[in-house]
Tab-separated table of all heavy atoms in Angstrom:
chain	number	residue	atom	x	y	z
A	89	VAL	N	-13.070	155.273	393.390
A	89	VAL	CA	-13.795	154.301	394.225
A	89	VAL	C	-15.264	154.548	394.199
A	89	VAL	O	-15.675	155.704	394.522
A	89	VAL	CB	-13.258	154.382	395.724
A	89	VAL	CG1	-13.984	153.374	396.614
A	89	VAL	CG2	-11.751	154.017	395.767
A	90	PHE	N	-16.086	153.650	393.751
A	90	PHE	CA	-17.480	153.714	393.692
A	90	PHE	C	-18.223	152.994	394.868
A	90	PHE	O	-17.878	151.872	395.162
A	90	PHE	CB	-17.972	153.078	392.350
A	90	PHE	CG	-17.442	153.643	391.136
A	90	PHE	CD1	-16.343	153.236	390.620
A	90	PHE	CD2	-18.185	154.722	390.563
A	90	PHE	CE1	-15.760	153.786	389.401
A	90	PHE	CE2	-17.643	155.288	389.317
A	90	PHE	CZ	-16.502	154.849	388.819
A	91	GLU	N	-18.932	153.794	395.563
A	91	GLU	CA	-19.666	153.205	396.705
A	91	GLU	C	-21.176	153.532	396.668
A	91	GLU	O	-21.502	154.741	396.548
A	91	GLU	CB	-19.074	153.821	398.030
A	91	GLU	CG	-17.580	153.461	398.206
A	91	GLU	CD	-17.066	154.113	399.407
A	91	GLU	OE1	-17.654	154.970	399.953
A	91	GLU	OE2	-15.940	153.690	399.903
A	92	GLY	N	-21.974	152.553	396.795
A	92	GLY	CA	-23.392	152.760	396.977
A	92	GLY	C	-24.025	153.383	395.613
A	92	GLY	O	-25.037	154.104	395.723
A	93	VAL	N	-23.516	153.170	394.538
A	93	VAL	CA	-23.931	153.754	393.291
A	93	VAL	C	-25.075	152.864	392.715
A	93	VAL	O	-24.985	151.694	392.703
A	93	VAL	CB	-22.852	153.860	392.247
A	93	VAL	CG1	-23.340	154.586	390.946
A	93	VAL	CG2	-21.681	154.650	392.800
A	94	ALA	N	-26.229	153.513	392.390
A	94	ALA	CA	-27.287	152.694	391.840
A	94	ALA	C	-28.154	153.642	390.924
A	94	ALA	O	-28.067	154.793	390.994
A	94	ALA	CB	-28.240	152.246	392.946
A	95	GLY	N	-28.923	153.014	390.088
A	95	GLY	CA	-29.766	153.737	389.122
A	95	GLY	C	-29.076	154.288	387.905
A	95	GLY	O	-27.996	153.827	387.521
A	96	GLU	N	-29.676	155.257	387.242
A	96	GLU	CA	-29.104	155.780	386.078
A	96	GLU	C	-27.907	156.644	386.321
A	96	GLU	O	-27.795	157.257	387.447
A	96	GLU	CB	-30.152	156.727	385.338
A	96	GLU	CG	-31.208	156.022	384.639
A	96	GLU	CD	-30.734	155.350	383.336
A	96	GLU	OE1	-29.865	156.013	382.666
A	96	GLU	OE2	-31.132	154.269	382.979
A	97	HIS	N	-26.865	156.549	385.525
A	97	HIS	CA	-25.650	157.346	385.708
A	97	HIS	C	-25.188	158.022	384.402
A	97	HIS	O	-25.611	157.620	383.363
A	97	HIS	CB	-24.553	156.463	386.223
A	97	HIS	CG	-24.775	155.842	387.518
A	97	HIS	ND1	-25.612	154.637	387.646
A	97	HIS	CD2	-24.513	156.129	388.759
A	97	HIS	CE1	-25.767	154.330	388.858
A	97	HIS	NE2	-25.151	155.270	389.667
A	98	GLN	N	-24.383	159.064	384.626
A	98	GLN	CA	-23.773	159.690	383.527
A	98	GLN	C	-22.302	159.843	383.826
A	98	GLN	O	-21.878	160.047	384.968
A	98	GLN	CB	-24.452	161.058	383.173
A	98	GLN	CG	-25.796	160.905	382.634
A	98	GLN	CD	-26.320	162.299	382.251
A	98	GLN	OE1	-26.044	163.289	382.864
A	98	GLN	NE2	-27.155	162.333	381.205
A	99	VAL	N	-21.526	159.884	382.743
A	99	VAL	CA	-20.080	160.205	382.886
A	99	VAL	C	-19.754	161.482	382.122
A	99	VAL	O	-20.049	161.490	380.914
A	99	VAL	CB	-19.206	158.988	382.443
A	99	VAL	CG1	-17.717	159.422	382.367
A	99	VAL	CG2	-19.412	157.814	383.251
A	100	ALA	N	-19.198	162.457	382.733
A	100	ALA	CA	-18.862	163.705	382.095
A	100	ALA	C	-17.315	163.764	381.922
A	100	ALA	O	-16.632	163.552	382.930
A	100	ALA	CB	-19.266	164.894	382.881
A	101	VAL	N	-16.955	163.930	380.755
A	101	VAL	CA	-15.419	163.963	380.516
A	101	VAL	C	-15.010	165.362	380.123
A	101	VAL	O	-15.509	165.847	379.196
A	101	VAL	CB	-15.073	162.882	379.469
A	101	VAL	CG1	-13.583	162.809	379.179
A	101	VAL	CG2	-15.580	161.484	379.799
A	102	ASP	N	-14.113	165.905	380.839
A	102	ASP	CA	-13.599	167.185	380.522
A	102	ASP	C	-12.503	167.154	379.414
A	102	ASP	O	-11.780	166.128	379.356
A	102	ASP	CB	-13.064	167.925	381.722
A	102	ASP	CG	-14.070	168.133	382.841
A	102	ASP	OD1	-15.248	168.218	382.392
A	102	ASP	OD2	-13.765	168.211	384.002
A	103	LYS	N	-12.422	168.120	378.631
A	103	LYS	CA	-11.492	168.137	377.643
A	103	LYS	C	-10.024	168.174	378.144
A	103	LYS	O	-9.811	168.874	379.110
A	103	LYS	CB	-11.587	169.376	376.677
A	103	LYS	CG	-10.588	169.609	375.675
A	103	LYS	CD	-10.826	170.832	374.768
A	103	LYS	CE	-9.712	170.971	373.785
A	103	LYS	NZ	-9.981	172.213	372.899
A	104	PRO	N	-9.142	167.310	377.718
A	104	PRO	CA	-7.813	167.322	378.257
A	104	PRO	C	-7.084	168.643	378.005
A	104	PRO	O	-7.194	169.099	376.838
A	104	PRO	CB	-7.138	166.156	377.490
A	104	PRO	CG	-8.204	165.300	376.966
A	104	PRO	CD	-9.345	166.220	376.700
A	105	ARG	N	-6.506	169.156	379.034
A	105	ARG	CA	-5.779	170.377	378.875
A	105	ARG	C	-4.448	170.131	378.145
A	105	ARG	O	-3.898	169.062	378.305
A	105	ARG	CB	-5.450	171.056	380.268
A	105	ARG	CG	-6.747	171.511	380.965
A	105	ARG	CD	-6.499	172.566	382.037
A	105	ARG	NE	-5.763	171.914	383.149
A	105	ARG	CZ	-6.459	171.351	384.155
A	105	ARG	NH1	-7.719	171.202	384.155
A	105	ARG	NH2	-5.782	170.781	385.137
A	106	ASP	N	-4.051	171.119	377.341
A	106	ASP	CA	-2.777	171.016	376.631
A	106	ASP	C	-2.851	169.940	375.464
A	106	ASP	O	-1.900	169.550	374.960
A	106	ASP	CB	-1.604	170.672	377.422
A	106	ASP	CG	-1.466	171.607	378.588
A	106	ASP	OD1	-1.737	172.843	378.442
A	106	ASP	OD2	-1.038	171.248	379.708
A	107	ALA	N	-4.093	169.499	375.177
A	107	ALA	CA	-4.228	168.456	374.181
A	107	ALA	C	-4.152	169.075	372.781
A	107	ALA	O	-4.527	170.284	372.610
A	107	ALA	CB	-5.518	167.725	374.264
A	108	LYS	N	-3.610	168.417	371.801
A	108	LYS	CA	-3.476	168.922	370.464
A	108	LYS	C	-4.790	168.808	369.776
A	108	LYS	O	-5.539	167.866	369.891
A	108	LYS	CB	-2.387	168.085	369.799
A	108	LYS	CG	-0.991	168.219	370.273
A	108	LYS	CD	-0.021	167.471	369.488
A	108	LYS	CE	1.374	167.574	370.057
A	108	LYS	NZ	2.442	166.744	369.341
A	109	GLU	N	-5.129	169.888	369.031
A	109	GLU	CA	-6.386	169.995	368.277
A	109	GLU	C	-6.542	168.751	367.400
A	109	GLU	O	-5.670	168.273	366.746
A	109	GLU	CB	-6.393	171.204	367.537
A	109	GLU	CG	-7.742	171.604	366.865
A	109	GLU	CD	-8.709	172.235	367.973
A	109	GLU	OE1	-8.256	172.445	369.044
A	109	GLU	OE2	-9.828	172.370	367.638
A	110	GLY	N	-7.787	168.272	367.342
A	110	GLY	CA	-8.182	167.190	366.535
A	110	GLY	C	-7.765	165.780	366.916
A	110	GLY	O	-8.097	164.796	366.211
A	111	ARG	N	-7.115	165.607	368.133
A	111	ARG	CA	-6.861	164.251	368.558
A	111	ARG	C	-8.014	163.484	369.113
A	111	ARG	O	-8.921	164.282	369.739
A	111	ARG	CB	-5.778	164.332	369.673
A	111	ARG	CG	-4.419	164.308	369.100
A	111	ARG	CD	-3.341	164.250	370.160
A	111	ARG	NE	-2.064	163.915	369.612
A	111	ARG	CZ	-0.948	163.782	370.354
A	111	ARG	NH1	-0.996	164.014	371.635
A	111	ARG	NH2	0.218	163.522	369.822
A	112	PHE	N	-8.080	162.316	369.148
A	112	PHE	CA	-9.213	161.500	369.708
A	112	PHE	C	-8.578	160.558	370.705
A	112	PHE	O	-7.515	160.035	370.451
A	112	PHE	CB	-9.980	160.735	368.657
A	112	PHE	CG	-10.867	161.592	367.839
A	112	PHE	CD1	-10.281	162.318	366.714
A	112	PHE	CD2	-12.146	161.792	368.099
A	112	PHE	CE1	-11.095	163.089	365.962
A	112	PHE	CE2	-12.958	162.663	367.346
A	112	PHE	CZ	-12.354	163.337	366.243
A	113	PHE	N	-9.396	160.322	371.729
A	113	PHE	CA	-8.865	159.394	372.818
A	113	PHE	C	-9.935	158.320	373.172
A	113	PHE	O	-11.129	158.636	373.034
A	113	PHE	CB	-8.468	160.190	374.041
A	113	PHE	CG	-7.341	161.174	373.771
A	113	PHE	CD1	-7.575	162.497	373.308
A	113	PHE	CD2	-6.096	160.751	373.921
A	113	PHE	CE1	-6.538	163.296	372.942
A	113	PHE	CE2	-5.052	161.638	373.700
A	113	PHE	CZ	-5.219	162.897	373.134
A	114	GLU	N	-9.430	157.278	373.740
A	114	GLU	CA	-10.338	156.177	374.172
A	114	GLU	C	-10.336	156.158	375.681
A	114	GLU	O	-9.323	156.406	376.376
A	114	GLU	CB	-9.805	154.850	373.665
A	114	GLU	CG	-9.906	154.690	372.118
A	114	GLU	CD	-11.230	154.170	371.585
A	114	GLU	OE1	-11.952	153.840	372.402
A	114	GLU	OE2	-11.380	154.335	370.333
A	115	LEU	N	-11.488	155.908	376.285
A	115	LEU	CA	-11.494	155.702	377.782
A	115	LEU	C	-11.906	154.201	378.081
A	115	LEU	O	-12.794	153.600	377.356
A	115	LEU	CB	-12.630	156.603	378.341
A	115	LEU	CG	-12.380	158.148	378.156
A	115	LEU	CD1	-13.598	158.890	378.788
A	115	LEU	CD2	-11.136	158.548	378.924
A	116	GLY	N	-11.245	153.661	379.019
A	116	GLY	CA	-11.570	152.365	379.412
A	116	GLY	C	-11.567	152.225	380.937
A	116	GLY	O	-10.921	153.011	381.599
A	117	LEU	N	-12.235	151.197	381.419
A	117	LEU	CA	-12.321	151.019	382.911
A	117	LEU	C	-11.566	149.702	383.284
A	117	LEU	O	-11.856	148.653	382.656
A	117	LEU	CB	-13.640	151.059	383.431
A	117	LEU	CG	-13.813	151.095	385.016
A	117	LEU	CD1	-13.509	152.478	385.468
A	117	LEU	CD2	-15.232	150.810	385.350
A	118	VAL	N	-10.816	149.634	384.372
A	118	VAL	CA	-10.183	148.423	384.933
A	118	VAL	C	-10.622	148.306	386.312
A	118	VAL	O	-10.627	149.233	387.075
A	118	VAL	CB	-8.638	148.542	384.770
A	118	VAL	CG1	-7.958	147.299	385.391
A	118	VAL	CG2	-8.253	148.705	383.319
A	119	VAL	N	-10.955	147.142	386.722
A	119	VAL	CA	-11.311	146.864	388.168
A	119	VAL	C	-10.099	146.300	388.945
A	119	VAL	O	-9.430	145.374	388.352
A	119	VAL	CB	-12.563	145.871	388.207
A	119	VAL	CG1	-12.848	145.503	389.683
A	119	VAL	CG2	-13.709	146.473	387.532
A	120	LEU	N	-9.818	146.691	390.066
A	120	LEU	CA	-8.721	146.278	390.849
A	120	LEU	C	-9.231	145.498	392.100
A	120	LEU	O	-10.266	145.819	392.601
A	120	LEU	CB	-7.890	147.489	391.350
A	120	LEU	CG	-7.606	148.555	390.367
A	120	LEU	CD1	-6.874	149.708	390.973
A	120	LEU	CD2	-6.739	147.925	389.282
A	121	ASP	N	-8.430	144.540	392.585
A	121	ASP	CA	-8.776	143.876	393.824
A	121	ASP	C	-8.216	144.749	394.896
A	121	ASP	O	-7.506	145.741	394.681
A	121	ASP	CB	-8.300	142.501	393.820
A	121	ASP	CG	-6.815	142.333	393.790
A	121	ASP	OD1	-6.073	143.354	394.124
A	121	ASP	OD2	-6.170	141.332	393.550
A	122	PRO	N	-8.475	144.411	396.237
A	122	PRO	CA	-8.046	145.219	397.339
A	122	PRO	C	-6.469	145.514	397.403
A	122	PRO	O	-6.050	146.541	397.926
A	122	PRO	CB	-8.474	144.410	398.612
A	122	PRO	CG	-9.645	143.657	398.131
A	122	PRO	CD	-9.345	143.313	396.672
A	123	SER	N	-5.687	144.596	396.796
A	123	SER	CA	-4.279	144.794	396.792
A	123	SER	C	-3.794	145.717	395.622
A	123	SER	O	-2.641	146.083	395.615
A	123	SER	CB	-3.571	143.392	396.677
A	123	SER	OG	-3.798	142.900	395.347
A	124	GLY	N	-4.691	146.094	394.828
A	124	GLY	CA	-4.396	146.934	393.674
A	124	GLY	C	-4.136	146.104	392.310
A	124	GLY	O	-3.721	146.655	391.307
A	125	LYS	N	-4.249	144.746	392.386
A	125	LYS	CA	-4.001	143.967	391.206
A	125	LYS	C	-5.163	144.006	390.286
A	125	LYS	O	-6.422	144.074	390.691
A	125	LYS	CB	-3.802	142.474	391.633
A	125	LYS	CG	-3.496	141.617	390.425
A	125	LYS	CD	-3.310	140.173	390.825
A	125	LYS	CE	-3.260	139.207	389.731
A	125	LYS	NZ	-3.083	137.794	390.203
A	126	GLU	N	-4.896	144.152	388.963
A	126	GLU	CA	-5.989	144.230	388.009
A	126	GLU	C	-6.705	142.817	387.880
A	126	GLU	O	-6.087	141.845	387.774
A	126	GLU	CB	-5.542	144.665	386.565
A	126	GLU	CG	-5.006	146.091	386.608
A	126	GLU	CD	-4.572	146.512	385.189
A	126	GLU	OE1	-4.720	145.637	384.307
A	126	GLU	OE2	-4.068	147.482	385.094
A	127	VAL	N	-8.016	142.880	388.037
A	127	VAL	CA	-8.763	141.636	387.792
A	127	VAL	C	-9.634	141.630	386.581
A	127	VAL	O	-10.098	140.689	386.120
A	127	VAL	CB	-9.678	141.354	389.012
A	127	VAL	CG1	-8.867	140.924	390.328
A	127	VAL	CG2	-10.607	142.472	389.321
A	128	TYR	N	-9.690	142.907	386.066
A	128	TYR	CA	-10.464	142.989	384.769
A	128	TYR	C	-10.022	144.236	384.123
A	128	TYR	O	-9.965	145.218	384.823
A	128	TYR	CB	-12.002	143.021	384.918
A	128	TYR	CG	-12.689	143.090	383.608
A	128	TYR	CD1	-13.001	141.864	382.863
A	128	TYR	CD2	-13.027	144.196	383.053
A	128	TYR	CE1	-13.697	141.933	381.614
A	128	TYR	CE2	-13.616	144.300	381.820
A	128	TYR	CZ	-13.940	143.107	381.171
A	128	TYR	OH	-14.628	143.143	379.985
A	129	PRO	N	-9.600	144.279	382.920
A	129	PRO	CA	-9.521	143.172	381.910
A	129	PRO	C	-8.196	142.601	381.836
A	129	PRO	O	-7.611	142.473	380.785
A	129	PRO	CB	-9.999	143.860	380.654
A	129	PRO	CG	-9.364	145.233	380.758
A	129	PRO	CD	-9.444	145.604	382.244
A	130	ALA	N	-7.634	142.095	382.879
A	130	ALA	CA	-6.385	141.259	382.867
A	130	ALA	C	-5.230	142.105	382.280
A	130	ALA	O	-4.539	141.622	381.450
A	130	ALA	CB	-6.563	139.969	382.234
A	131	GLY	N	-5.136	143.327	382.661
A	131	GLY	CA	-3.965	144.112	382.233
A	131	GLY	C	-4.062	144.796	380.935
A	131	GLY	O	-3.182	145.470	380.447
A	132	LYS	N	-5.180	144.544	380.228
A	132	LYS	CA	-5.272	145.123	378.865
A	132	LYS	C	-6.385	146.174	378.821
A	132	LYS	O	-7.537	145.807	379.067
A	132	LYS	CB	-5.520	144.061	377.857
A	132	LYS	CG	-5.521	144.539	376.388
A	132	LYS	CD	-5.520	143.345	375.451
A	132	LYS	CE	-6.691	142.438	375.562
A	132	LYS	NZ	-6.690	141.431	374.524
A	133	PRO	N	-6.068	147.397	378.655
A	133	PRO	CA	-7.156	148.515	378.678
A	133	PRO	C	-8.073	148.240	377.543
A	133	PRO	O	-7.641	148.032	376.350
A	133	PRO	CB	-6.257	149.775	378.474
A	133	PRO	CG	-5.020	149.348	377.823
A	133	PRO	CD	-4.761	147.990	378.356
Side-chain angles (χ1 to χ4, degrees):
V89 178
F90 298 89
E91 297 175 345
V93 182
E96 284 287 324
H97 297 81
Q98 293 186 323
V99 173
V101 182
D102 296 334
K103 177 179 176 179
R105 293 198 292 274
D106 305 325
K108 295 180 181 179
E109 190 78 7
R111 276 186 165 176
F112 288 82
F113 297 88
E114 300 271 350
L115 296 176
L117 191 73
V118 175
V119 177
L120 312 176
D121 66 16
S123 70
K125 179 182 177 181
E126 293 183 4
V127 290
Y128 183 87
K132 185 165 63 175

